[in-house]
């Protein structure tokens, strides 16, 4: 049973990622029936201040010896190309050998990989550093499309907030959904996002004021349910279809059809979160010709089905 958690800090300390571990495992919620976790903040040199990336400092109370019997070793984000401390790597190797959990948040996965614990395994990290991780650790199967990856006793999570999902997943696994849900409710976060869900961020409409793109994008958003053809958009922008597609990709960063599909999926997410409309009606309102087509694009972009998304995030029934 997961009871003791040792978080290893290395300079510079990423405040949010460290805070995720503290918030999930370090807050006393025994008044709600949540078991108390023994959280130990550790470093190579205990008692010595370590700098945050944000200008503050933290003083770890424990040395690395406090990791020896911890049920979980947590590694927040850190530098991705650095001289990885051999003492820290040895602690991780020892923890892995005795079957303790190891959890990395964001680029903390680089430290786990440097210890050789991810060779031949799948692992996640922040999408910005996936290529760098693959280059530095070619034996690791880097997956930046998901929120977190669990390989036996090792859990690697994607950027920042994905560490919350990975931590709650571990709590759920060890203590059950009731305890995990109580922690999530106090944190005001979704109680469960599956690891396979995409690192999907709602993108704002790009600022495109030149050549009529701003007007075209606005019109597309206001008419998602319409049957929108590229030729019609090109006419609206006073361009040929070929020129429009090329200029759209240059300015917006993707093809017109891809951008339109993503916006329709975003609109579907909103309807699934805030209404009790059936999947067929949601599909119709956002411009997909059928629920089947909505499910296809929704799963490809978000990583889960519309029904699963509504179950976890919908508020209409509550």
């Amino acid at each position: 049973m997961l009871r003791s958690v040792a978080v290893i800090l290395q300079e510079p300390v990423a405040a949010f990622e460290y805070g995720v571990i503290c918030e999930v495992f370090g807050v006393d919620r025994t008044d709600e029936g949540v078991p108390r976790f023994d959280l130990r903040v550790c470093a190579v040199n205990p008692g010595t201040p370590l700098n945050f990336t944000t200008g503050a400092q933290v003083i770890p109370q424990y040395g690395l010896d406090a990791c020896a019997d911890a049920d979980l070793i947590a590694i927040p984000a850190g530098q991705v190309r650095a001289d990885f401390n051999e003492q820290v790597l040895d602690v991780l190797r020892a923890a892995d050998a005795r079957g303790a959990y190891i959890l990395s948040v964001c680029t903390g996965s680089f430290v786990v990989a440097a210890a050789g614990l991810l060779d031949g395994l799948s692992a996640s990290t922040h999408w910005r550093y996936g290529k760098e991780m693959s280059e530095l650790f070619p034996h690791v199967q880097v997956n930046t499309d998901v929120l977190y990856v669990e390989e036996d006793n090792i859990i690697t999570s994607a950027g920042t907030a994905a560490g919350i999902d990975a931590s709650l997943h571990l709590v759920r696994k060890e203590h059950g959904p009731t305890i995990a849900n109580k922690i999530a409710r106090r944190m005001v976060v979704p109680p469960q996002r599956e690891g396979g869900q995409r690192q999907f961020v709602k993108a704002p409409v790009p600022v495109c004021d030149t050549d009529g793109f701003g007007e075209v994008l606005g019109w597309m958003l206001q008419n998602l349910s319409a049957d929108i053809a590229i030729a019609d958009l090109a006419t609206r922008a006073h361009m040929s279809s070929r020129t429009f597609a090329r200029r759209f990709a240059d300015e917006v960063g993707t093809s017109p059809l891809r951008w339109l599909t993503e916006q329709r999926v975003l609109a579907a997410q909103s309807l699934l979160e805030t209404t009790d409309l059936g999947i067929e009606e949601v599909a119709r309102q956002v411009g997909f010709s059928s629920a089947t087509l909505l499910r296809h694009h929704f799963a490809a972009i978000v990583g889960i089905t519309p029904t699963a998304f509504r179950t976890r995030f919908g508020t209409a029934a509550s």
Side-chain angles (χ1 to χ4, degrees), residues 22-76:
C22 292
E23 182 66 27
V24 175
F25 299 107
V27 176
D28 183 357
R29 301 183 176 94
T30 53
D31 59 323
E32 294 189 23
V34 177
R36 185 194 299 270
F37 296 101
D38 174 18
L39 180 65
R40 310 163 189 174
V41 182
C42 308
V44 174
N45 298 306
T48 300
L50 296 177
N51 292 316
F52 281 110
T53 56
T54 53
Q57 291 183 323
V58 59
I59 302 177
Q61 183 179 356
Y62 296 91
L64 296 182
D65 57 322
C67 300
D69 63 347
D71 301 318
L72 166 65
I73 310 296
I75 309 292

Side-chain angles (χ1 to χ4, degrees), residues 186-203:
R186 282 278 292 270
M187 293 177 64
V188 198
V189 297
Q192 181 174 4
R193 291 200 296 173
E194 297 293 346
Q197 187 167 330
R198 301 289 187 265
Q199 296 185 35
F200 184 72
V201 179
K202 294 185 177 181

Side-chain angles (χ1 to χ4, degrees), residues 48-280:
T48 300
L50 296 177
N51 292 316
F52 281 110
T53 56
T54 53
Q57 291 183 323
V58 59
I59 302 177
Q61 183 179 356
Y62 296 91
L64 296 182
D65 57 322
C67 300
D69 63 347
D71 301 318
L72 166 65
I73 310 296
I75 309 292
Q79 291 183 333
V80 298
R81 285 190 179 272
D83 294 327
F84 300 101
N85 187 284
E86 199 61 37
Q87 295 180 64
V88 173
L89 302 185
D90 284 342
V91 165
L92 293 178
R93 293 172 185 134
D96 181 63
R98 62 183 172 82
Y101 282 113
I102 296 172
L103 168 68
S104 68
V105 182
C106 194
T107 54
S109 54
F110 279 72
V111 183
V112 184
L117 303 183
L118 297 178
D119 287 355
L121 303 180
S122 179
S124 186
T125 193
H126 193 291
W127 60 267
R128 288 188 62 188
Y129 300 102
K131 181 179 179 181
E132 196 162 0
M133 188 173 183
S134 294
E135 293 173 349
L136 196 59
F137 305 107
H139 299 297
V140 179
Q141 301 167 23
V142 181
N143 186 349
T144 56
D145 286 335
V146 297
L147 295 177
Y148 58 87
V149 173
E150 180 179 16
E151 289 274 16
D152 295 325
N153 59 310
I154 300 176
I155 302 175
T156 52
S157 64
T160 52
I164 299 175
D165 302 297
S167 298
L168 289 175
H169 165 75
L170 185 52
V171 172
R172 185 178 304 105
K173 180 178 179 178
E174 287 290 305
H175 293 277
T178 300
I179 298 301
N181 290 347
K182 287 181 178 180
I183 296 174
R185 185 165 58 249
R186 282 278 292 270
M187 293 177 64
V188 198
V189 297
Q192 181 174 4
R193 291 200 296 173
E194 297 293 346
Q197 187 167 330
R198 301 289 187 265
Q199 296 185 35
F200 184 72
V201 179
K202 294 185 177 181
V205 178
V207 178
C208 300
D209 294 327
T210 61
D211 299 323
F213 278 105
E215 187 275 333
V216 170
L217 293 178
W219 183 89
M220 291 166 73
L221 287 175
Q222 293 172 12
N223 295 274
L224 289 177
S225 62
D227 183 12
I228 300 176
I230 302 303
D232 295 334
L233 296 175
T235 299
R236 182 173 289 274
H238 308 292
M239 301 178 191
S240 68
S241 294
R242 179 177 296 181
T243 299
F244 175 81
R246 176 177 56 81
R247 295 291 298 275
F248 191 100
D250 289 343
E251 187 157 348
V252 181
T254 188
S255 70
L257 182 59
R258 176 66 180 177
W259 188 87
L260 179 60
T261 299
E262 289 178 348
Q263 299 309 312
R264 283 173 166 161
V265 168
L266 286 176
Q269 283 184 288
S270 178
L271 291 176
L272 291 167
E273 288 175 334
T274 60
T275 76
D276 59 359
L277 294 173
I279 302 301
E280 284 284 358

